[in-house]
């Protein structure tokens, strides 16, 4: 038995390893193919495969997931989240949604006592706040200066809430441009848009930040909807804003314009921008906006025949020019004109813009004749001041005593044209010692001396809503009294006109003295001091100075450009 027991022990000892070896071999055959398959999957499957899965999720969760993916992948995609707008202190208005094709829908906002054109990035630096979070290249947070509303995963809507002073038509419109999913290879346009996104974020953060220091000027006070966001927006403009001026076209209609008279802003802006080295770029791929350098005033002089009363030659000139640049460059068709702008101070500036549907509906129109009843849209258009320049200097045009030394309550002198001035003259011409209203100034009386000795300067519209008297009043330290219909005052996206001017409706002209007398001395002095503070934004300088009228026009265009996002594949405009 001892021998048999030894045999059993021997057999047992050698049988166990044999069984274990067999199992190990089987396990090896199972693991090796699994490792090979895993390696192949790792090599062949794209790294961003989760991106497609993110966009297949429901809207409520896809924005969060996409934001995380964007952070890890560093992709330049816009991830959209549902947001709500908080609109503060806005009067009742009609809300329209306008896309590049021109379609629209309507809604209604609530009432308020404040009359304002609030800007959201184009938008008012304003009393309007939107709840939207912005990430690196993603729009997703409140932007106090850019009133941003992101409604779904395919479109970006940024609105300007605009209410003209004493306007019969109030607008709060939206330009909706479609966004495409991000590409891994970023184009030059992607880089331009990335810079704009950084500017939006910086402006948003400025609202709750400390006041920035500036060697030239620190805007502060109730004259601004939001002084800190305006200041930061202005500094961001100086840091990166670039304009490409189309070189096509010959003077006098193109690259030229009147530098004197009430149309002087046309010629001076063209000239300043043509020679400017800070904001102009010669590389269109680096440009944020594209300037169409034609002068409507020059067209009226050299293209239009007054005897014929035929406006079609001006229309053809505008159409031919835009066709030319659209065929030579891809930029007009790329954005349907949304990143292009024109400037006109002539009364027929709006009429010239109607030559092409996309020029009127999509492009930024900087106009002196900012009349909402003639389709001026404060969402995307810019109201600029009408300045009647006699020379290229402001010598003799500015000055005036302090508020306490002004003896005349109100003053106006001017030609009779349009529907408002006859009403003013009927009620007040030579009828009151305190209200100096004249059709023609008495012999020996100086126009500017009268302004400088007046507390209030009456600025009624003529045939068109704009009047050079508004700027003349500011230059001479006189509080403007605006009497107009459907007029959007200049730079209303930044300036709170109610704090340094008086608005009187046409129906209240008979009560003009009562209205002005009811303003306390203390309140008048405050308004007069604010006039002196804001008039630097209306000063014409050669060469231009920071914060002057040239830079304020550029800043308004900059804000409208911040209001849209452009991609390389928006389609083609049918000319």
């Amino acid at each position: 038995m001892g021998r048999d027991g030894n045999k059993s022990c021997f057999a047992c000892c050698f049988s166990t390893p044999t069984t274990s070896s067999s199992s190990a071999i089987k396990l090896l055959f199972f693991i090796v193919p699994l490792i090979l398959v895993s390696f192949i999957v790792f090599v062949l499957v794209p790294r961003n495969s989760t991106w497609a899965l993110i966009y297949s999720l429901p809207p409520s969760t896809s924005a969060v997931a996409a934001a995380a993916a964007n952070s890890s992948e560093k992709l330049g995609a816009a991830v959209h989240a549902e947001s709500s707008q908080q609109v503060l202190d806005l009067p009742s208005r009609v809300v329209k949604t306008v896309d590049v094709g021109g379609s629209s829908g309507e809604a209604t906002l609530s009432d308020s006592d404040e009359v304002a054109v609030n800007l959201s990035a184009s938008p008012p630096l304003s009393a309007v706040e939107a709840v939207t979070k912005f990430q690196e290249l993603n729009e997703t947070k409140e932007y106090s200066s850019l009133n941003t509303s992101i409604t779904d995963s395919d479109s970006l809507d940024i609105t300007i809430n605009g209410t003209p002073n004493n306007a019969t038509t109030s607008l709060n419109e939206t330009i909706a441009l479609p966004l495409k999913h991000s590409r891994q290879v970023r184009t030059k346009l992607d880089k331009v848009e990335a810079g704009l996104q950084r500017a939006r974020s910086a402006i948003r953060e400025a609202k709750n930040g400390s006041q920035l220091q500036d060697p030239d000027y620190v805007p502060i006070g109730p004259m601004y909807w939001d002084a800190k966001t305006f200041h930061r927006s202005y500094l961001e403009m100086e840091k990166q804003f670039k304009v490409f001026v189309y070189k096509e076209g010959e003077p006098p209609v193109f690259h030229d314009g009147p530098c004197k008279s009430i149309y002087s802003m046309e010629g001076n802006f063209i000239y300043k921008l043509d020679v400017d080295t800070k904001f102009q770029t010669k590389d269109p791929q680096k440009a944020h906006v594209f300037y169409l350098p034609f002068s409507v005033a020059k067209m009226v002089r050299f293209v239009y025949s007054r005897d014929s009363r035929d406006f079609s030659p001006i229309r053809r000139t505008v159409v031919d020019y835009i066709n030319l640049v659209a065929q030579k460059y891809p930029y007009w068709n790329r954005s349907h004109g949304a990143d292009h702008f024109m400037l006109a101070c002539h009364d027929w500036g709006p009429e010239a813009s109607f030559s092409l549907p996309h020029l009127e509906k999509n492009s930024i129109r900087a106009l002196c004749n900012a009349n909402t009843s003639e389709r001026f849209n404060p969402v995307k258009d810019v109201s600029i001041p009408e300045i009647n320049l006699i020379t290229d200097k402001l010598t003799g045009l500015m000055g005036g005593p302090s508020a306490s030394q002004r003896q005349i309550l109100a003053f106006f002198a001017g030609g009779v044209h349009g529907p408002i001035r006859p009403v003013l003259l009927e009620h007040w011409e030579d009828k009151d010692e305190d209200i100096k209203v004249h059709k023609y100034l008495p012999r020996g009386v100086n126009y500017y001396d009268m302004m400088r000795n007046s507390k209030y300067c009456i600025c009624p519209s003529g045939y068109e809503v704009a009047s050079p008297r508004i700027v003349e009043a500011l230059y001479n330290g006189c509080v403007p009294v605006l009497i107009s219909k459907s007029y959007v005052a200049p730079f209303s996206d930044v300036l709170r006109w109610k704090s340094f001017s008086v608005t009187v409706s046409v129906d209240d002209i008979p009560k003009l003295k009562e209205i002005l007398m009811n303003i306390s001395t203390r309140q008048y002095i405050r308004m007069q001091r604010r006039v002196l503070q804001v008039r630097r934004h209306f000063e014409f300088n050669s060469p231009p100075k920071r914060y002057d009228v040239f830079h304020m026009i550029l800043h308004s265009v900059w804000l409208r450009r911040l209001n849209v996002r452009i991609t390389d594949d928006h389609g083609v405009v049918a000319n």
Side-chain angles (χ1 to χ4, degrees):
M1 179 174 177
R3 191 172 180 178
D4 291 339
N6 290 335
K7 287 182 178 179
S8 298
C9 181
F10 183 83
C12 184
C13 290
F14 282 90
S15 64
T16 301
T18 302
T19 304
S20 299
S21 176
S22 175
S23 299
I25 292 172
K26 290 179 180 179
L27 183 61
L28 185 62
F29 278 16
F30 176 79
I31 292 175
V32 169
L34 182 62
I35 293 173
L36 292 174
V37 170
S38 300
F39 179 77
I40 292 172
V41 171
F42 179 81
V43 171
L44 297 182
V45 174
R47 297 293 189 276
N48 61 346
S49 59
T50 55
W51 191 251
L53 296 178
I54 289 170
Y55 273 86
S56 68
L57 295 175
S60 60
T61 59
S62 62
V64 177
N70 184 54
S71 176
S72 63
E73 297 285 339
K74 301 299 182 182
L75 296 175
V79 180
H80 313 291
E82 294 183 355
S83 64
S84 62
Q85 286 185 321
Q86 297 176 346
V87 183
L88 309 178
D89 298 330
L90 291 178
S92 176
R93 67 196 62 182
V94 174
V95 182
K96 295 185 179 180
T97 301
V98 180
D99 60 20
V100 290
S103 61
S104 65
E106 296 187 357
T108 305
L109 296 183
S110 59
D111 291 337
S112 165
D113 295 330
E114 191 76 30
V115 176
V117 175
N118 290 329
L119 160 70
S120 54
S122 237
L125 298 172
S126 69
V128 175
E129 296 184 1
V131 180
T132 317
K133 183 180 179 182
F134 284 90
Q135 295 180 351
E136 185 178 0
L137 282 178
N138 308 320
E139 303 256 351
T140 42
K141 190 175 177 182
E142 174 196 345
Y143 182 14
S144 60
S145 175
L146 302 176
N147 180 15
T148 307
S149 170
I150 301 176
T151 57
D152 54 47
S153 61
D154 293 322
S155 65
L156 171 64
D157 295 341
I158 303 179
T159 63
I160 294 183
N161 299 299
T163 302
N165 291 335
N166 194 31
T168 56
T169 303
S170 296
L171 295 177
N172 177 349
E173 301 197 3
T174 302
I175 297 177
L177 294 180
L179 290 180
K180 302 299 181 182
H181 296 324
S182 174
R183 297 176 295 273
Q184 287 186 346
V185 178
R186 296 176 63 189
T187 65
K188 289 187 176 181
L189 179 59
D190 291 332
K191 294 178 181 179
V192 168
E193 291 295 335
L196 292 175
Q197 178 55 33
R198 289 191 292 272
R200 293 186 188 104
S201 298
I203 297 169
R204 170 180 56 82
E205 294 168 359
K207 183 176 181 66
N208 298 320
S210 58
Q211 181 70 58
L212 300 174
Q213 296 303 309
D214 195 316
D216 291 330
Y217 184 66
V218 177
I220 192 170
M223 305 85 68
Y224 303 97
W225 291 112
D226 190 322
K228 288 191 290 187
T229 52
F230 162 57
H231 194 196
R232 186 54 185 263
S233 175
Y234 186 93
L235 296 179
E236 289 293 324
M237 175 195 74
E238 288 187 318
K239 183 167 65 176
Q240 63 168 301
F241 192 39
K242 293 299 178 185
V243 180
F244 180 77
V245 181
Y246 285 115
K247 306 305 178 187
E248 290 68 27
E250 298 294 332
V253 172
F254 302 94
H255 302 280
D256 192 13
C259 291
K260 300 176 184 178
S261 81
I262 59 175
Y263 307 134
S264 62
M265 285 312 304
E266 286 191 22
N268 282 295
F269 185 84
I270 290 174
Y271 174 74
K272 298 297 187 298
L273 197 56
D274 263 339
V275 301
D276 183 84
T277 58
K278 180 177 180 60
F279 293 102
Q280 187 181 160
T281 178
K282 295 183 179 180
D283 183 356
Q285 295 191 72
K286 295 180 179 179
H288 298 95
V289 295
F290 299 82
Y291 178 44
L292 302 166
F294 56 76
S295 167
V296 177
K298 289 287 187 175
M299 289 184 189
V300 173
R301 180 178 176 184
F302 292 100
V303 177
Y304 174 74
S305 174
R306 294 185 179 274
D307 294 334
S308 69
R309 297 185 179 181
D310 181 9
F311 198 80
S312 59
I314 294 179
R315 292 186 183 276
R316 283 196 301 270
T317 302
V318 174
V319 171
D320 289 346
Y321 187 74
I322 293 181
N323 279 338
L324 173 65
V325 298
Q327 291 169 7
K328 186 173 181 179
Y329 305 91
Y331 309 108
W332 174 271
N333 291 335
R334 179 184 69 183
S335 67
H336 294 182
D339 55 355
H340 288 59
F341 78 100
M342 59 168 283
L343 182 143
C345 234
H346 195 278
D347 300 346
W348 290 350
E351 190 70 27
S353 73
F354 300 155
S355 304
L356 279 171
H358 288 300
L359 180 59
E360 175 207 344
K361 294 181 179 179
N362 296 337
S363 298
I364 302 166
R365 300 179 302 160
L367 304 172
C368 288
N369 188 22
N371 188 343
T372 58
S373 68
E374 296 180 4
R375 292 183 269 179
F376 180 87
N377 179 0
V379 175
K380 66 170 192 63
D381 296 331
V382 174
S383 176
I384 63 175
E386 190 171 79
I387 303 178
N388 188 9
L389 289 177
I390 301 173
T391 67
D392 60 350
K393 301 291 183 182
L394 295 181
T395 305
L397 298 181
M398 300 183 66
S402 64
S404 60
Q405 295 178 333
R406 294 173 181 261
Q407 304 302 316
I408 302 171
L409 178 63
F411 165 71
F412 168 78
V416 183
H417 57 84
I420 296 177
R421 295 183 186 183
V423 179
L424 178 66
L425 291 167
E426 177 186 351
H427 285 89
W428 296 106
E429 185 179 18
D430 299 326
K431 293 183 179 179
D432 194 294
E433 286 299 316
D434 295 324
I435 307 289
K436 303 287 187 181
V437 173
H438 305 282
K439 186 184 304 181
Y440 303 104
L441 274 176
R443 186 181 299 273
V445 177
N446 183 275
Y447 179 78
Y448 295 112
D449 286 343
M450 290 293 292
M451 278 194 159
R452 290 167 186 163
N453 287 302
S454 300
K455 295 179 179 178
Y456 300 95
C457 289
I458 304 170
C459 307
S461 294
Y463 285 122
E464 303 299 339
V465 293
S467 170
R469 285 169 182 78
I470 296 174
V471 174
E472 289 171 348
L474 297 176
Y475 281 1
N476 291 283
C478 188
V479 176
V481 178
L482 309 182
I483 308 178
S484 61
K485 291 182 178 179
S486 309
Y487 181 49
V488 180
F491 312 137
S492 294
D493 42 20
V494 169
L495 298 178
R496 189 170 172 266
W497 276 81
K498 187 177 180 179
S499 70
F500 59 90
S501 68
V502 178
T503 299
V504 176
S505 69
V506 177
D507 294 337
D508 285 337
I509 287 178
K511 304 176 184 177
L512 180 59
K513 183 175 182 178
E514 178 185 349
I515 291 171
L516 297 180
M517 292 294 290
N518 284 336
I519 299 173
S520 68
T521 301
R522 183 178 180 181
Q523 178 62 15
Y524 159 70
I525 292 174
R526 280 199 294 255
M527 286 194 293
Q528 201 268 346
R529 288 175 179 172
R530 293 167 187 166
V531 164
L532 301 180
Q533 288 178 278
V534 302
R535 72 180 177 187
R536 69 179 302 133
H537 301 314
F538 297 85
E539 291 178 10
F540 169 80
N541 296 296
S542 184
K545 297 179 181 179
R546 298 180 69 210
Y547 298 101
D548 68 1
V549 67
F550 172 75
H551 289 92
M552 288 297 289
I553 292 173
L554 278 179
H555 180 259
S556 291
V557 175
W558 156 255
L559 288 176
R560 271 67 183 176
R561 178 59 179 90
L562 284 172
N563 196 41
V564 295
R565 177 173 290 177
I566 309 297
T567 66
D568 286 304
D569 47 7
H570 273 177
V572 178
V573 176
N575 291 315

